[in-house]
Amino acid sequence: MALRLFSFPGIERLAEGISRGLGAKLEPWTLRRFPDGETYLRADVSLAADDAIVLANLRDPDEKLAPLLFLAATLRELGAKRVLLIAPYLAYMRQDIRFNPGEGLTSRYFARLLSGYFDGLVTVDPHLHRYHSLDEIYSIPSRLCHAAPELAEWIRDNVTAPLLIGPDAESLQWVREVGAACEAPFLTAEKRRLGDREVEIEISGLDRFPGRQIVVIDDIISSAATMRGIVAKIRAAGFAEVRCLGVHGLFAGDAYRELLAAGADQVVTTNTIPHVSNQIDLSALLATRTRDLLADLEARQ
Ligand code: R5P
């Protein structure tokens, strides 16, 4: 039984790293749109009971969803024993509650769709806020990669006297873990979201850490309103250096440029979503967790 990896376009380097780590053959396949916008895909392989692993970058998930589900269905029909999904960034996790009456609980609907087409899921730090585990909404087994040790390593290698800042109380456990791993003090800010691109930030206790180099840490940078709000407060408090570290750099619109313009000296992300800020490679971790999941699925048989 062999492992075959089918990667969506645009994430070639990550795909090569995962393929090496997994010992999986990286298979070519074709994806294009018909003139009317419908999806055409072709995987000219016979899978003969091999495991097929799909690697997809789920930034802009709506346009990728149909091709993703169609690829999973095609691979199954071509004989795949199991079809697994590696989605380094798992979209739709933030819609985990009806904030207003009548809103769609899209995290659940998205989970239901993926669970219907795949046999297992591997991802990196999904936004588990009101859900405690992916099992609450995904009916397939999953394995999570935690980027905290890798972030801590980056900080150790690049920042001499860091003070870590998490954007809100939710981030406390996480910032604490990174702080412990790189022996850095930490604070959490208070955040109030006023709109998609507007937040209000308060940070107390900065005066206890004069001269520190600030590292703001968040799981997702989307509009970068959160990071910009924190950077503004840090600059106003007179700190000379501020870096922003994000696991998933979505950077909607001009977010990256705006964050640099707001005063961030450096913006660093992992490679869950390809971006010029990627400095932390998670391919080995993703390969390891995928192996764990495959072993678990094998043991269940
Ligand atoms: C929210 O709960 C997340 O942890 C991030 O703080 C949020 O998604 C960042 O979004 P934005 O960059 O749009 O402020």
Side-chain angles (χ1 to χ4, degrees):
M1 185 194 69
L3 293 179
R4 314 281 199 97
L5 181 63
F6 296 82
S7 174
F8 271 71
I11 42 175
E12 286 73 16
R13 285 182 62 185
L14 182 65
E16 280 160 23
I18 292 175
S19 146
R20 260 196 313 278
L22 263 179
K25 182 160 183 262
L26 195 48
E27 296 285 357
W29 63 290
T30 305
L31 171 67
R32 69 174 176 86
R33 290 209 186 272
F34 285 111
D36 58 14
E38 292 185 3
T39 294
Y40 170 91
L41 65 83
R42 179 173 186 218
D44 189 13
V45 286
S46 163
L47 292 170
D50 289 346
D51 283 321
I53 299 163
V54 175
L55 172 65
N57 156 26
L58 293 185
R59 186 191 192 278
D60 299 319
D62 294 8
E63 68 190 45
K64 289 173 186 151
L65 188 59
L68 182 66
L69 301 184
F70 295 159
L71 177 61
T74 306
L75 297 176
R76 201 177 294 285
E77 285 187 357
L78 288 169
K81 182 177 174 194
R82 285 172 292 229
V83 185
L84 266 54
L85 172 62
I86 303 179
Y89 165 66
L90 188 58
Y92 275 112
M93 288 300 292
R94 284 171 294 174
Q95 309 298 320
D96 57 0
I97 192 176
R98 259 184 254 285
F99 297 95
N100 296 292
E103 287 177 350
L105 260 179
T106 49
S107 54
R108 287 188 184 272
Y109 315 147
F110 193 71
R112 210 177 290 155
L113 282 166
L114 294 191
S115 299
Y117 282 79
F118 290 93
D119 299 306
L121 168 67
V122 178
T123 190
V124 178
D125 289 321
H127 187 78
L128 292 171
H129 176 194
R130 279 161 279 253
Y131 300 129
H132 298 103
S133 148
L134 285 187
D135 297 346
E136 288 176 40
I137 51 172
Y138 281 81
S139 59
I140 49 175
S142 55
R143 283 291 180 282
L144 306 189
C145 304
H146 296 296
E150 318 287 332
L151 300 189
E153 190 180 328
W154 186 91
I155 295 168
R156 261 199 315 268
D157 292 348
N158 292 280
V159 190
T160 329
L163 167 65
L164 314 186
I165 300 195
D168 45 30
E170 291 159 34
S171 64
L172 173 61
Q173 283 196 348
W174 207 58
V175 181
R176 183 189 282 146
E177 185 183 343
V178 177
C182 65
E183 296 172 19
F186 57 87
L187 288 176
T188 52
E190 279 174 46
K191 170 167 107 176
R192 200 160 71 89
R193 187 165 283 283
L194 307 173
D196 285 351
R197 291 171 187 274
E198 208 185 339
V199 299
E200 219 172 55
I201 298 284
E202 287 304 327
I203 315 175
S204 15
L206 283 172
D207 50 340
R208 289 191 281 125
F209 301 97
R212 285 272 172 172
Q213 298 154 325
I214 306 295
V215 183
V216 191
I217 302 183
D218 206 352
D219 59 344
I220 297 172
I221 308 176
S222 179
S223 70
T226 303
M227 287 287 190
R228 276 189 281 112
I230 297 176
V231 168
K233 293 283 177 185
I234 302 295
R235 289 295 185 199
F239 286 83
E241 282 182 52
V242 53
R243 295 172 176 83
C244 296
L245 201 46
V247 178
H248 307 292
L250 292 171
F251 298 113
D254 257 354
Y256 178 63
R257 196 186 49 76
E258 288 167 2
L259 181 51
L260 292 173
D265 294 302
Q266 192 179 15
V267 180
V268 170
T269 57
T270 77
N271 59 347
T272 61
I273 297 166
H275 188 260
V276 64
S277 62
N278 291 169
Q279 283 198 29
I280 301 172
D281 175 23
L282 299 183
S283 55
L285 190 55
L286 282 159
T288 304
R289 289 290 173 273
T290 306
R291 277 230 164 273
D292 293 347
L293 179 58
L294 283 163
D296 180 30
L297 291 171
E298 202 58 45
R300 290 179 191 211
Q301 286 198 327

